[in-house]
Amino acid sequence: MALERLDKILASQNIGSRKQVGTMIRKGMVTVNGTPAVRADQKIDAEKDVISVQGHRLEVSRYVYLMMNKPKGVLSASRDTRAKTVIDLVPEEWQRKGLFPAGRLDKDTTGLLILTNDGDFAHKMLSPKKNIEKIYHAILDFPVDSDDITAFVEGVKMKDFEALPAKLCILPKELCDSGIIPSERQVQVCIREGKYHQVKRMFLSRGKTVQELSRVQIGSLGLDSSLAPGQVRLMTSEEILAVFT
Ligand code: URA
């Protein structure tokens, strides 16, 4: 295990920002192997050293879970020789953690994306057996009607597969983009699968084209509206659990 800075480890465990944990160290709130730490850059072996914060032993997890507000124009992939990927947007401190996106959003889709190095988490989240709800907001070229809503509930039939029942509704006024787009073209879709281009294909089969698509929720985890496009932050343990509830 490589040695890492104490403040970096504490920040990676959501104890606080690098600045905040630096202050905690200076105030004597952190011990390493029973001795109060004095320097934020003290080198730590997270597998052997025992770190305590205000007397509570820290169980250092090697897993990282980040919430990203994916912007348009970047690939949901770990690396690509030509195109920019979501991993390229991750700040330096998490770059070498072996992160990958748990599930994919199309290059032009925005919104909630989870980046992690926990393969089991991603596997569980994407497993069809878990049936986890994903909620999207979309802008369409034509308004939806009651036949579309019924077709989504009954399971949209496409050439190669039949979608599971999905919920489609017109976005409430307060969530609509205020502007010239009629509200009947601004919709919310809730699906429990994640097939390639699924939402776009479901609408295409109803004769409508998705012009904008954004994921706003996975399970009961909503996108943090304070994250600007391209920003990431560590998820709390409650948020990690919320994906499955
Ligand atoms: N469905 C799509 O069509 N695209 C996405 O990016 C996600 C869901």
Side-chain angles (χ1 to χ4, degrees), residues 86-133:
V86 288
I87 302 298
D88 295 323
L89 301 178
V90 169
E92 169 77 43
E93 61 201 287
W94 296 306
Q95 279 285 344
R96 282 185 293 278
K97 295 277 182 191
L99 295 174
F100 55 87
R104 284 167 187 260
L105 291 176
D106 297 335
K107 194 172 177 186
D108 59 354
T109 302
T110 60
L112 178 58
L113 187 68
I114 297 174
L115 306 173
T116 184
N117 52 3
D118 181 348
D120 286 343
F121 170 90
H123 187 259
K124 207 167 130 195
M125 182 185 131
L126 300 171
S127 163
K129 283 192 212 122
K130 294 279 172 212
N131 255 305
I132 292 173
E133 268 190 355

Side-chain angles (χ1 to χ4, degrees), residues 104-110 136 191 193-202 210 213 215:
R104 284 167 187 260
L105 291 176
D106 297 335
K107 194 172 177 186
D108 59 354
T109 302
T110 60
Y136 293 85
I191 58 173
E193 302 164 282
K195 299 235 167 40
Y196 187 58
H197 292 333
Q198 175 145 357
V199 173
K200 291 173 183 166
R201 292 175 62 205
M202 286 168 79
V210 171
L213 187 63
R215 184 159 61 193

Side-chain angles (χ1 to χ4, degrees), residues 20-76:
Q20 286 166 335
V21 300
T23 308
M24 290 167 81
I25 293 166
R26 278 192 303 282
K27 285 188 174 164
M29 292 158 77
V30 181
T31 60
V32 177
N33 303 322
T35 306
V38 279
R39 292 173 54 160
D41 66 355
Q42 179 173 346
K43 292 289 189 288
I44 300 291
D45 180 339
E47 276 181 7
K48 292 201 191 115
D49 293 324
V50 176
I51 305 172
S52 300
V53 180
Q54 290 186 289
H56 298 287
R57 185 177 172 161
L58 188 67
E59 293 298 339
V60 179
S61 165
R62 61 196 165 95
Y63 294 126
V64 176
Y65 308 86
L66 300 177
M67 174 192 290
M68 171 178 279
N69 182 0
K70 181 192 171 294
K72 276 189 185 181
V74 289
L75 290 182
S76 297

